[in-house]
């Protein structure tokens, strides 16, 4: 195979990630739940390829929130929705 242009490469990567599903723990509006990973306030939204891993993260988030009125859920997204394009 020959050398392809960057635009062709980017287009192929974009098409690839459109077809891949990921899961995230989200609030009712669809925003990912942010986890504190370092103090004082560094936050990280996580995405999972496995629904069971996302469900486990949901259970942990619910136990940390206690009886909060916020209803969290596992939501399936296309990787292209969260992937930063080249």
């Amino acid at each position: 195979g020959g050398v392809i242009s960057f635009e062709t490469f980017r287009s192929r990567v974009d098409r690839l990630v459109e077809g891949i599903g990921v899961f995230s723990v989200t609030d009712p509006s669809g925003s990912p739940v942010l986890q504190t990973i370092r103090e004082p306030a560094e936050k990280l939204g996580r995405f999972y390829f496995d629904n069971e891993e996302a469900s486990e993260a949901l259970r942990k988030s619910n136990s940390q929130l206690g009886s909060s009125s916020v209803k969290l859920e596992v939501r399936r997204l296309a990787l292209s929705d969260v992937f930063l394009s080249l």
Side-chain angles (χ1 to χ4, degrees):
V3 176
I4 61 171
S5 72
F6 179 75
E7 288 303 317
T8 300
F9 175 75
R10 181 169 60 182
S11 175
R12 289 179 182 176
V13 169
D14 289 345
R15 280 195 314 255
L16 175 70
V17 298
E18 282 176 2
I20 298 173
V22 294
F23 302 89
S24 182
V25 177
T26 68
D27 66 17
S29 73
S31 296
V33 172
L34 299 179
Q35 300 171 330
T36 302
I37 58 169
R38 284 194 200 107
E39 293 300 329
E42 191 171 333
K43 303 277 186 176
L44 178 68
R46 296 188 186 269
F47 299 95
Y48 304 88
F49 288 106
D50 180 38
N51 188 26
E52 286 301 315
E53 286 184 50
S55 296
E56 179 61 27
L58 173 63
R59 285 189 283 280
K60 287 179 182 177
S61 293
N62 281 334
S63 69
Q64 290 171 352
L65 291 174
S67 61
S68 172
S69 62
V70 176
K71 299 294 182 199
L72 302 178
E73 62 186 15
V74 172
R75 188 175 298 235
R76 186 181 189 284
L77 307 162
L79 183 57
S80 59
D81 292 338
V82 297
F83 176 77
L84 298 177
S85 183
L86 300 174

